[in-house]
Amino acid sequence: MVSKNTICLWYDGAAMDAATFYAKTFPDSAVGAVHRAPGDYPAGKQGDVLMVEFTVMGIPCLGMNGGPGTPHTNAFSLQVATDDQAETDRLWNAIIDHGGQASACGWCKDKWGLSWQITPRALMAAVTGPDPAAARRAFEAMMTMTKIDIAAIEAARRG
């Protein structure tokens, strides 16, 4: 590991599958070193994949096959800023179509339970803009959505 600060994500035997999916789905992502267990451990046997070094959009991560005792929660998520509806749709659909689950306001979970926020830059600009009434309208529109619809956000912002 080269990075001083790395996000460690626990999986129940699926760290390699998750890292490979992230590397195929998100730009500036890759699978690095794969470390096998030097001995038996509670969630696996000697020689099983124990840890996978990978990057997701340039963020260094370590996937650990720590077993079923530590599932992901909404308390941690990865937020992806998208530039347009096509990118928003591509990333959202990749997660959902690969066994994931849709949630509200641009949130979804991948098949391993990791939460993602697929957040268009236009949404952030709309809800943090200088016009409080326009920001409120955009925010209220977002609250009705699962995947974010940029055209609907912009229409709400304009009133």
Side-chain angles (χ1 to χ4, degrees):
M1 289 234 139
V2 176
S3 180
K4 189 172 181 97
N5 187 8
T6 300
I7 295 171
C8 182
L9 301 167
W10 279 42
Y11 295 90
D12 185 10
M16 188 68 191
D17 291 340
T20 301
F21 171 73
Y22 304 147
K24 289 179 183 176
T25 303
F26 297 98
D28 193 23
S29 300
V31 176
V34 177
H35 305 284
R36 297 195 174 274
D40 292 351
Y41 64 108
K45 301 285 184 202
Q46 179 179 347
D48 289 352
V49 172
L50 178 62
M51 296 177 288
V52 179
E53 295 178 35
F54 61 99
T55 57
V56 177
M57 297 171 289
I59 300 170
C61 298
L62 179 71
M64 183 182 315
N65 284 325
T70 310
H72 299 289
T73 72
N74 288 340
F76 177 86
S77 65
L78 293 172
Q79 185 178 50
V80 181
T82 56
D83 292 323
D84 55 30
Q85 193 66 52
E87 184 181 21
T88 301
D89 292 348
R90 183 184 73 75
L91 296 176
W92 175 276
N93 293 339
I95 292 169
I96 300 304
D97 294 347
H98 193 75
Q101 181 180 26
S103 190
C105 305
W107 288 69
C108 57
K109 286 186 179 185
D110 65 27
K111 73 186 249 177
W112 304 281
L114 185 62
S115 293
W116 295 82
Q117 297 176 61
I118 308 301
T119 309
R121 294 180 197 279
L123 170 64
M124 293 304 293
V127 300
T128 62
D131 179 347
R136 187 187 77 250
R137 289 190 303 272
F139 180 80
E140 289 172 353
M142 177 204 65
M143 294 299 291
T144 69
M145 298 177 184
T146 52
K147 177 175 61 176
I148 302 301
D149 178 337
I150 296 172
I153 294 294
E154 292 295 338
R157 184 181 195 183
R158 287 189 301 274

